[in-house]
């Protein structure tokens, strides 16, 4: 009897140890650890598989392409101290001189400005939590004045996936959604239902339209300092669905003023370091809303600037 009773006792003990080991294995080494492993620098872009791209390509039924980038110039409203300028030169051609017997003349240009101006993608090296960035990378270990040693924007691969556009202006029945309006689960689900979108899936790019670009060049102070946008619950909701990227037609992306009791750019923290989800800002989706292009093939080839924190982009949506 003692022997027989010892067997279940040992089995029970082994089960406890096995469960304990399983729990330990599931514990994250740090708050920002990637679910894709310790060497991962792509985050949820990993969900954009060849099969995902192939399925998304079937959304192209009309052959209409949309430029999602806005024009970037010295007058583009920009956050904080950011500025942008372009200088056009004619090297070695002072006074109208030309080059060679066939009299070649040419122009070159120099960009003198910040990368985070206009339509942009936020890389994982852009924002962290107390100097801890995506996948347990500490600022002191990878940040340098001549470029990031990890998490650089050059790591973003070629993107071709399903895109979903949520017309929040239509959902709220207004031309421009009021600043401070947060998009959380109820608003996201409501906008989806209005458009007939059945689901947001792993590897999707989700864009919000608010009408905010209508203010650019007309009321730049309001445009850059406040806006409607994604709230904390909404960010966690989209993260739980496994989206690859999220974006908006606003310059700050998340809701401003921030939600009650929210930290400074806490939505950015939820998305970038905690969940490995890239952020797209100043996306021009005006024409898509007019055409009710709610689902589409989203494509992006981010500039491969080694060690870059952000990049000026012009994604193309095709339906």
């Amino acid at each position: 009897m003692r022997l027989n009773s010892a067997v279940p006792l040992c089995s029970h003990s082994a089960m406890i140890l096995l469960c304990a080991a399983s729990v330990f294995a599931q514990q994250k080494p740090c708050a920002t650890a990637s679910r894709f492993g310790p060497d991962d620098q792509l985050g949820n872009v990993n969900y954009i598989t060849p099969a995902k791209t192939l399925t998304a390509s079937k959304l192209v039924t009309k052959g209409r392409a949309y430029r999602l980038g806005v024009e970037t110039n010295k007058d583009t409203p920009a956050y904080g101290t950011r500025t942008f300028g372009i200088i056009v030169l004619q090297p070695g051609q002072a006074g109208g001189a030309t080059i060679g017997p066939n009299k070649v003349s040419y122009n070159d240009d120099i960009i003198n400005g910040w990368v985070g101006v206009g339509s942009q993608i936020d890389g994982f090296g852009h924002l962290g939590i107390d100097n801890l960035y995506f996948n347990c990378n500490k600022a002191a270990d990878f940040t340098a004045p001549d470029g990031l040693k990890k998490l650089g924007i050059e790591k973003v691969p070629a993107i071709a996936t399903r895109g979903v556009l949520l017309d929040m202006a239509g959902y709220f029945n207004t031309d421009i959604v009021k600043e401070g309006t947060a998009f959380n689960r109820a608003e996201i689900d409501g906008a989806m239902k209005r458009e007939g979108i059945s689901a947001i899936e792993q590897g999707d790019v989700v864009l919000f339209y608010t009408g905010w670009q209508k203010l650019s060049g007309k009321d730049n102070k309001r445009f850059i300092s406040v806006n409607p946008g994604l709230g904390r619950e909404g960010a966690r909701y989209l993260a739980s669905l496994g989206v690859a990227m999220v974006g908006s037609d606003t310059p700050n992306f998340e809701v401003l003023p921030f939600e009650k009791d929210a930290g400074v750019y806490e939505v950015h923290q939820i998305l970038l370091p905690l969940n490995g989800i890239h952020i797209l800002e100043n996306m021009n989706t005006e024409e898509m809303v007019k055409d009710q292009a709610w689902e589409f093939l989203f494509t992006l080839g981010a500039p491969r600037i080694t060690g870059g924190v952000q990049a000026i982009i012009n994604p193309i949506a095709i339906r």
Side-chain angles (χ1 to χ4, degrees):
M1 291 295 294
R2 290 180 180 176
L3 181 60
N4 290 339
S5 64
V7 172
L9 178 61
C10 290
S11 299
H12 183 64
S13 299
M15 187 174 293
I16 291 175
L17 290 173
L18 184 62
C19 290
S22 177
V23 170
F24 178 78
Q26 292 176 16
Q27 287 180 340
K28 298 171 68 174
C30 80
T32 67
S34 171
R35 61 179 58 88
F36 301 103
D39 297 324
D40 178 51
Q41 298 188 57
L42 301 182
N44 280 10
V45 166
N46 282 291
Y47 288 132
I48 304 177
T49 63
K52 175 73 176 180
T53 298
L54 186 60
T55 299
S57 69
K58 297 173 184 177
L59 294 170
V60 179
T61 58
K62 298 183 181 297
R64 174 75 189 276
Y66 302 85
R67 296 183 296 182
L68 303 187
V70 300
E71 290 189 37
T72 305
N73 51 56
K74 63 181 178 61
D75 298 319
T76 303
Y79 175 81
T81 58
R82 295 176 188 171
T83 57
F84 186 92
I86 188 169
I87 302 170
V88 176
L89 303 172
Q90 299 79 35
Q93 301 164 77
T98 58
I99 301 171
N102 53 328
K103 298 184 177 180
V104 170
S105 58
Y106 72 98
N107 297 308
D108 264 355
D109 48 359
I110 299 171
I111 289 178
N112 182 22
W114 298 67
V115 179
V117 176
S119 300
Q120 62 196 268
I121 179 172
D122 286 347
F124 295 148
H126 178 47
L127 190 139
I129 303 171
D130 194 14
N131 293 296
L132 182 67
Y133 291 74
F134 177 66
N135 211 5
C136 304
N137 286 290
K138 298 178 181 178
D141 296 334
F142 78 99
T143 303
D146 61 346
L148 304 179
K149 305 311 175 187
K150 275 189 173 183
L151 308 179
I153 206 68
E154 78 279 4
K155 301 296 183 183
V156 179
I159 303 296
T161 190
R162 176 181 183 240
V164 173
L165 175 60
L166 299 181
D167 177 11
M168 306 312 294
Y171 173 75
F172 287 107
N173 193 28
T174 183
D175 288 338
I176 302 176
V177 182
K178 185 180 179 181
E179 56 264 47
T181 303
F183 310 147
N184 287 307
R185 179 166 184 168
E187 291 76 24
I188 292 169
D189 287 346
M192 289 173 58
K193 182 178 180 180
R194 176 179 176 272
E195 297 174 6
I197 304 286
S198 60
I200 291 172
E201 303 164 356
Q202 279 189 346
D204 284 352
V205 172
V206 178
L207 304 178
F208 294 95
Y209 171 79
T210 69
W212 205 249
Q213 284 292 324
K214 292 183 173 73
L215 298 175
S216 182
K218 298 176 181 178
D219 190 349
N220 286 348
K221 182 178 180 180
R222 180 185 177 197
F223 175 80
I224 200 67
S225 62
V226 292
N227 54 235
L230 193 62
R232 290 172 296 172
E233 183 206 16
R236 295 187 185 101
Y237 177 44
L238 292 179
S240 74
L241 300 177
V243 300
M245 298 179 174
V246 290
S248 177
D249 56 353
T250 67
N252 299 287
F253 177 69
E254 68 183 89
V255 61
L256 279 175
F258 302 120
E259 294 169 291
K260 183 180 179 181
D261 301 325
V264 176
Y265 287 104
E266 188 174 345
V267 168
H268 275 62
Q269 291 180 319
I270 293 169
L271 296 173
L272 292 167
L274 290 176
N275 286 287
I277 299 170
H278 289 89
I279 295 174
L280 312 173
E281 296 170 339
N282 282 313
M283 295 291 97
N284 180 16
T285 50
E286 190 82 35
E287 290 299 315
M288 296 182 69
V289 168
K290 290 179 182 178
D291 291 345
Q292 297 186 10
W294 309 135
E295 292 182 81
F296 49 92
L297 174 64
F298 176 93
T299 65
L300 171 64
R304 303 196 70 185
I305 302 172
T306 304
V309 172
Q310 303 159 104
I312 297 172
I313 59 172
N314 180 31
I316 304 298
I318 312 169
R319 70 187 289 249

